[in-house]
Amino acid sequence: MIGLELRQLEYFVAVVEERNFTRAAARLHVVQSAVSAGLKTLERQLQAELVHRTSREVSLTEAGRALLPRARDTLAAARAAIDAVDEVRGGIQGEVRVGVMASLPDIDLPAALGRMHADHPRVRVRLSHRPGGSRELADDLAAGRLDLALLSEPGPAGHRLRLTPLVSVGMHLVMAPTHPLAGRGAATLAELADDVFVDFPIGYGIRSIVDRAFTAAGRSRYVSIEVTNAETAMAYVRHGLGVAILPDAYVHPGPTLRITGPGSDDLTWSLSLATAKNRHPGAATDALVALIEETAQQRTRHAGRKGAME
C-alpha cells in the first residue's frame, strides 16, 4: 500500500458503493473528473483493473473485490486517528452514515440529530433508507457501507453486528370492523391461516417476525398486499382487503385481537441500534449513538409516566 493516497481509496470506495462516478463525485463534493482520474491512478499504481466501467454503472473486478474490505479498513483507521487528535483538541468532525427504516415509532430521531448538529456542528450526518428493509440495512452495515443503523430483524448478517435494543413491543392482529373475528378478544394463528394478509415485503423485520410465528405454529398464510409502511397497511385493512399483524406502536384505534396459542410467543417486535462488530465506530458515531439512546430512554420514561397518570 506504500505510495497510495487515502483520497484515492476514498474515491474507489465511493464509486463502488454508489455504482456510478457521477453519484460518487456528488457524495464526495468533488468534480467527476477528479474521481475518474484518482481511480485510474490507483489502478495504475496497483497494476490492476479494479472496476468494470459501463455507461450506466460500475461493478467490481476480482482485484477490486479483494481490495474493497481492506480499503474500508484503511479509511476507518485513518478516521479513528483523526478522531483521536480531534478529541484532544476538544472537537469532533467527520461523517456518520446512518441507515433507517421507513418509520421509527417511539424514537424521536430528528431531535437526536438536532442535538448532534448543535453539539458537534462539524459532523455531517448522511441519513438514508433501504428498500430491502432491515436485512438490507444489516448487510450494508456489515459490509461497511453504513456506520450505524436503526433496524429490527437483521437476518443472516446479525452475527456480525453489535445490537443495542431501544424499543420492544408486542404485536396484535388488526382487521376491519366487519371481520368475523372483530368482536372477539383473542385468536390463534391457526384460525387466521385462511385469511388474506396485508404485510411488509420479505426482508422487513415485521414480515420476518410474522412469517416465523406461522412457521412455529405449523401453519402457512397468503400475503395479498405488500406495503412499506404501517399507515398504508392500516388503510388497506380498514377497507376489508386483508388482516395484518402489527407492533402495538403502529396500531391506530380500531378492532385489535391478541394472538394466543402456538407461535404467539414469537410475536414481539424490537427496534435496535446497530454497529458493525469488526470496526471501531469512531468518535462522531459514538456521539450520535449516545444521543439516540438518550432520546429513546426519554421517550420510554415519558410513556411510562403517561401510562401511570392514565
Side-chain angles (χ1 to χ4, degrees), residues 189-197 210-211 213-223:
L189 295 176
E191 291 179 286
L192 303 173
D194 294 330
D195 267 287
V196 172
F197 273 79
V210 178
D211 283 347
F214 269 88
T215 298
R219 299 286 178 169
S220 60
R221 63 180 181 134
Y222 176 64
V223 177

Side-chain angles (χ1 to χ4, degrees), residues 117-160:
H117 178 68
D119 295 348
H120 308 289
R122 294 194 297 165
V123 173
R124 298 189 308 274
V125 176
R126 291 186 65 214
L127 192 69
S128 59
H129 298 80
R130 293 295 185 274
S134 289
R135 288 195 180 185
E136 187 175 354
L137 287 169
D139 290 341
D140 284 351
L141 189 57
R145 292 184 286 269
L146 293 171
D147 298 306
L148 67 93
L150 287 157
L151 49 77
S152 55
E153 293 279 311
H159 71 281
R160 301 171 61 187

